[in-house]
Amino acid sequence: MENFAAPARPIVARMLAEADAAPARAVAFQGAPGANSHVAVREAFPDALPLPCFSFDDAIDAVKEGRADRAMIPIENSLHGRVADIHFLLPESGLSIIGEHFLAIRHTLMGTGPIEGVREAMSHPQALGQCRHWLKAHGIAQVAYPDTAGAAAMVAELADPRIAALAPVHAAELYGLQALASDIADAAHNMTRFVVLARDAPGITGDGPCMTSLIFEVKNSPAALYKALGGFATNGVNMTKLESYQREASFSATEFYADIVGSPEEPRVIRALEELGFHSKWVRLLGTYPQARPRP
């Protein structure tokens, strides 16, 4: 808790105590109270006890250690793309993806003085990236911080009118800041997708459409990726996301993260995954879960 700025610590302490008393209702998130992840937890699980954690690792550890039943982690943003390091944390966590949630992002610039005097904006790199054109147009420099609401708490602690924060509007109320500019973003469609992680993966119930997330590493042979993905095309399985990333610094073996529409219990998905496995060194399923919004 000492990692949080001083204005956030009493709120964090109260939320930690509530979660400790009922861990089965706790949902861990990364960030200080008032962060976008906190907003997402309240939207997706109105009756849950949000558990603030300073880092993504801390949020995942809270679930692994039984201090929270689930964790809600941002995975991608419509403006700024992949959330850094999440592709490494997901497979290493040993947790399963059991759900997803989409949150419309609305940033507010907040501080302790007039907007004309602001020279720096402090926030999570994702938030700064989503507002970089607006900030540049207003002559405001970017300052990275581990989370949005944590930046608001730090700005309150610094009490320097030259330094503002980009955070959800509720953070201004929590930390006694002035809202200087509202609904800031470089595009109106600013949306973040969150995944819900748990120790155990419940079976999919109902007849609604679902998603499956997986990671894999193709063999080092010509056209291996083309061949590996061919089974999805021939079996009519829609792949909505495919991203490559390098582990360590070998630059020789590329791993991939993918989202597909469907469940591994469906014959067409089974056939597609079998072909993927034939052309890959390994394949690992991260979870199958109901769709939070329709995919084609």
Side-chain angles (χ1 to χ4, degrees), residues 217-224 251-254 279-281:
E217 181 183 334
V218 296
K219 297 177 180 177
N220 288 324
S221 59
F251 295 101
S252 60
T254 300
H279 295 287
S280 300
K281 293 181 180 179

Side-chain angles (χ1 to χ4, degrees), residues 174-185:
L174 281 176
Y175 304 116
L177 298 175
Q178 304 173 41
L180 308 178
S182 302
D183 205 11
I184 299 170

Side-chain angles (χ1 to χ4, degrees), residues 258-274:
D259 289 329
I260 61 173
V261 177
S263 163
E265 297 180 359
E266 300 175 41
R268 62 191 181 93
V269 177
I270 292 173
R271 293 191 295 268
L273 292 176
E274 286 176 348

Side-chain angles (χ1 to χ4, degrees), residues 109 115-120 131-141 180-181 184 186:
L109 186 73
I115 190 171
E116 293 78 13
V118 174
R119 297 292 177 265
E120 297 179 347
C131 305
R132 64 187 183 277
H133 297 304
W134 189 95
L135 294 172
K136 183 178 180 180
H138 288 78
I140 299 175
L180 308 178
I184 299 170
D186 292 338

Side-chain angles (χ1 to χ4, degrees), residues 178-247:
Q178 304 173 41
L180 308 178
S182 302
D183 205 11
I184 299 170
D186 292 338
H189 62 74
N190 194 6
M191 182 81 64
T192 294
R193 177 184 176 224
F194 291 79
V195 291
V196 182
L197 306 178
R199 290 182 299 276
D200 301 313
I204 295 295
T205 58
D207 298 324
C210 60
M211 302 294 296
T212 295
S213 297
L214 61 142
I215 54 173
F216 62 95
E217 181 183 334
V218 296
K219 297 177 180 177
N220 288 324
S221 59
L225 180 60
Y226 173 80
K227 296 173 183 176
L229 299 182
F232 295 98
T234 56
N235 288 286
V237 177
N238 186 18
M239 181 173 287
T240 62
K241 182 179 180 68
L242 178 67
E243 287 193 351
S244 63
Y245 60 99
Q246 291 282 344
R247 187 176 293 275

Side-chain angles (χ1 to χ4, degrees), residues 25-28 37-50 69-73 98-101 194-198:
R25 293 178 54 204
V27 179
S37 294
H38 186 189
V39 177
V41 170
R42 293 172 64 182
E43 276 192 9
F45 306 106
D47 297 327
L49 297 173
D69 183 60
R70 291 155 290 181
M72 184 166 253
I73 302 294
I98 64 167
E100 63 176 358
H101 182 72
F194 291 79
V195 291
V196 182
L197 306 178

Side-chain angles (χ1 to χ4, degrees), residues 73-77 81-83 86-87 90 192-195 257:
I73 302 294
I75 189 170
E76 60 185 326
N77 176 265
R82 175 170 63 194
V83 175
I86 201 64
H87 288 57
L90 283 176
T192 294
R193 177 184 176 224
F194 291 79
V195 291
Y257 171 96

